[in-house]
Amino acid sequence: MKPSVLVTRRIPQPGLDLLIGQCDLDVWDSDVPIPREVLLQRIADKDGLLCLLTDRIDDELLDAAPRLRVVSQVAVGVDNINVPACTRRGIPVGHTPGALTETTADLTWALLLAAARRLVEGVDYVRAGRWVTWDPNQFLGLDVYGATLGIVGFGRIGQAVARRAHGFNTRILYHSRQRKPDAEQALGASYVALDTLLAEADFVTLHVSLTPETYHLIGRDALRKMKGTAVLVNVARGGVVDPDALVEALRNGWIAYAALDVTEPEPLPADHPLLSLPNCIVVPHIGSASVATRTKMAIMAAENLLAGLAGQRLPHCVNPEVYSAATRSS
Ligand code: NAP
Ligand code: GLV
């Protein structure tokens, strides 16, 4: 008998193609998330779950899935998954590190430059038919060349952002849990405390994983430490920035601009204040959204899933401790 697998969204076909024939597939064939009650019901008889960051994988779901042997997510961030709860049940969790690093770093720079040079304001102005002349005082922005870039979270994506900074001759500061001497040397980056980075950077980009420690890392106190001319770019997770504090900061000029790929909540309601501020750009969580990258992610997720179903070690496992019997409680 083939293993039974739930796929919680329409994913790029090459990923699904790997599963067709090998699994009994139940695909939530839609562009919107599977409703929670449907997810809980359909997972009941499944051996494998291929999920997205919009699905909450918690004790309730795992209790509803007595046969589940593997969870494979089409994303690198797994803050939507209770990983220790999976580990306790002996369930390996797969993700897609590396596949999206460069694409997400590209979007970070797209947002940084768009904010610095007020691109969205300019586009809106032209589209509204308001462009009457070249104006020496209009849409004056910030120079990126020669500025100080502050990277918070110096992992795969943070370092890829730093690599792109050299053409802009930027001074690179970074903050992470641990210092990274090799990367410092290779990328000409300097490790600093978070407060120093916030005080000195002209552009602050966020790339930390979302954990209890990083939840609202950028709140009122942090925003007050930043320069009045600074730009904040969040390409990590919405929860890393306190949205109420950000609105206050943008309204009161504590910082100049924000550019967000991710928000709290996600999606932002249409009447959210961040969407009416002229000095804030919001895009709909498209960091990894290139054809090639989303295809790679779907393939990687399918490969993780198939390995888990075959009882093999996942190629990209978030909780390798699951393979040590001592860490399982049942
Ligand atoms: P990664 O290589 O694991 O990097 C995460 C970095 O966060 C690490 O350098 C880690 O520091 C740092 N970090 C974690 N907790 C911290 C803390 N409390 N204080 C300071 N630094 C902390 O992961 P990645 O592949 O670069 O991805 C990073 C995140 O980006 C993902 O978790 C995901 O949420 C987000 N992401 C978003 C998109 C998008 O579409 N917008 C796309 C991909 C990823 P250490 O190395 O010192 O431990
Ligand atoms: C996207 O946000 C990811 O974590 O891959």
Side-chain angles (χ1 to χ4, degrees), residues 53 75-79 95-101 103-105 107-108 111 152-160 174-180 191 194 206-215 217 234-238 240 261-262 266 284-289 294 297:
L53 53 81
V76 66
V78 289
D79 46 279
H95 68 151
T96 63
L100 42 67
T101 298
T103 304
T104 308
L107 186 87
T108 307
L111 287 174
V152 182
F154 211 51
R156 287 173 291 257
I157 298 170
Q159 291 179 35
Y174 81 93
H175 179 74
S176 254
R177 278 179 299 209
Q178 293 151 29
R179 274 189 82 152
K180 319 221 176 250
Y191 175 86
L194 181 60
L206 305 177
H207 309 285
V208 290
S209 33
L210 178 61
T211 63
E213 290 73 43
T214 60
Y215 180 72
L217 181 70
N234 187 6
V235 189
R237 280 289 182 269
V240 176
D261 182 43
V262 289
E266 209 168 276
H285 202 150
I286 53 170
S288 63
R294 287 283 167 83
M297 290 165 68

Side-chain angles (χ1 to χ4, degrees), residues 110-124 139-142 201-205 218 223 226-234 241 246-247 249-260 274 277-282:
L111 287 174
L112 187 160
L113 288 163
R117 300 303 300 274
R118 305 177 61 183
L119 286 196
V120 175
E121 289 172 81
V123 169
D124 287 349
F139 295 120
L140 305 186
L142 300 163
D202 299 303
F203 298 92
V204 174
T205 69
I218 306 299
L223 289 160
M226 291 174 66
K227 293 182 178 179
T229 50
V231 171
L232 177 70
V233 181
N234 187 6
V241 176
L246 182 59
V247 170
L250 291 167
R251 279 192 179 141
N252 296 322
W254 302 349
I255 67 171
Y257 230 102
L260 313 172
L274 283 173
L277 290 171
N279 52 347
C280 185
I281 298 170
V282 182

Side-chain angles (χ1 to χ4, degrees), residues 9-326:
R9 196 83 68 85
R10 202 176 283 149
I11 62 165
Q13 194 60 37
L16 269 190
D17 286 346
L18 283 181
L19 304 178
I20 292 169
Q22 307 230 40
C23 313
D24 227 341
L25 283 185
D26 178 2
V27 180
W28 178 251
D29 192 17
S30 168
D31 290 326
V32 294
I34 184 169
R36 179 76 180 170
E37 63 280 10
V38 179
L39 175 60
L40 291 177
Q41 186 203 329
R42 291 215 196 162
I43 198 67
D45 60 351
K46 299 300 187 296
D47 302 297
L49 173 63
L50 194 128
C51 60
L52 302 193
L53 53 81
T54 46
D55 305 314
R56 197 174 73 249
I57 311 304
D58 56 6
D59 272 312
E60 182 189 30
L61 179 133
L62 297 169
D63 285 345
R67 282 171 45 176
L68 199 62
R69 284 186 275 141
V70 56
V71 171
S72 175
Q73 169 136 299
V74 192
V76 66
V78 289
D79 46 279
N80 58 309
I81 300 177
N82 184 336
V83 176
C86 292
T87 307
R88 280 196 300 276
R89 290 165 172 85
I91 299 174
V93 177
H95 68 151
T96 63
L100 42 67
T101 298
E102 302 303 338
T103 304
T104 308
D106 286 350
L107 186 87
T108 307
W109 274 94
L111 287 174
L112 187 160
L113 288 163
R117 300 303 300 274
R118 305 177 61 183
L119 286 196
V120 175
E121 289 172 81
V123 169
D124 287 349
Y125 181 83
V126 173
R127 286 195 168 155
R130 296 171 57 203
W131 183 20
V132 287
T133 182
W134 184 84
D135 183 337
N137 296 307
Q138 205 170 35
F139 295 120
L140 305 186
L142 300 163
D143 278 321
V144 177
Y145 189 84
T148 297
L149 173 65
I151 300 175
V152 182
F154 211 51
R156 287 173 291 257
I157 298 170
Q159 291 179 35
V161 168
R163 278 198 294 280
R164 285 156 175 74
H166 293 125
F168 290 95
N169 194 32
T170 58
R171 172 180 172 229
I172 305 171
L173 306 178
Y174 81 93
H175 179 74
S176 254
R177 278 179 299 209
Q178 293 151 29
R179 274 189 82 152
K180 319 221 176 250
D182 293 348
E184 279 177 29
Q185 207 170 15
L187 297 168
S190 307
Y191 175 86
V192 288
L194 181 60
D195 284 358
T196 307
L197 182 151
L198 295 171
E200 295 189 11
D202 299 303
F203 298 92
V204 174
T205 69
L206 305 177
H207 309 285
V208 290
S209 33
L210 178 61
T211 63
E213 290 73 43
T214 60
Y215 180 72
H216 286 190
L217 181 70
I218 306 299
R220 239 171 159 265
D221 288 353
L223 289 160
R224 292 228 72 145
K225 287 177 181 139
M226 291 174 66
K227 293 182 178 179
T229 50
V231 171
L232 177 70
V233 181
N234 187 6
V235 189
R237 280 289 182 269
V240 176
V241 176
D242 176 345
D244 295 337
L246 182 59
V247 170
E248 204 179 351
L250 291 167
R251 279 192 179 141
N252 296 322
W254 302 349
I255 67 171
Y257 230 102
L260 313 172
D261 182 43
V262 289
T263 58
E264 184 194 60
E266 209 168 276
L268 273 188
D271 62 352
H272 194 283
L274 283 173
L275 299 180
S276 57
L277 290 171
N279 52 347
C280 185
I281 298 170
V282 182
V283 294
H285 202 150
I286 53 170
S288 63
S290 75
V291 175
T293 291
R294 287 283 167 83
T295 302
K296 262 191 280 173
M297 290 165 68
I299 290 172
M300 263 172 104
E303 288 171 348
N304 279 329
L305 186 91
L306 290 174
L309 291 172
Q312 294 160 3
R313 213 179 166 92
L314 308 197
H316 300 283
C317 188
V318 178
N319 56 344
E321 63 277 14
V322 77
Y323 297 112
S324 132

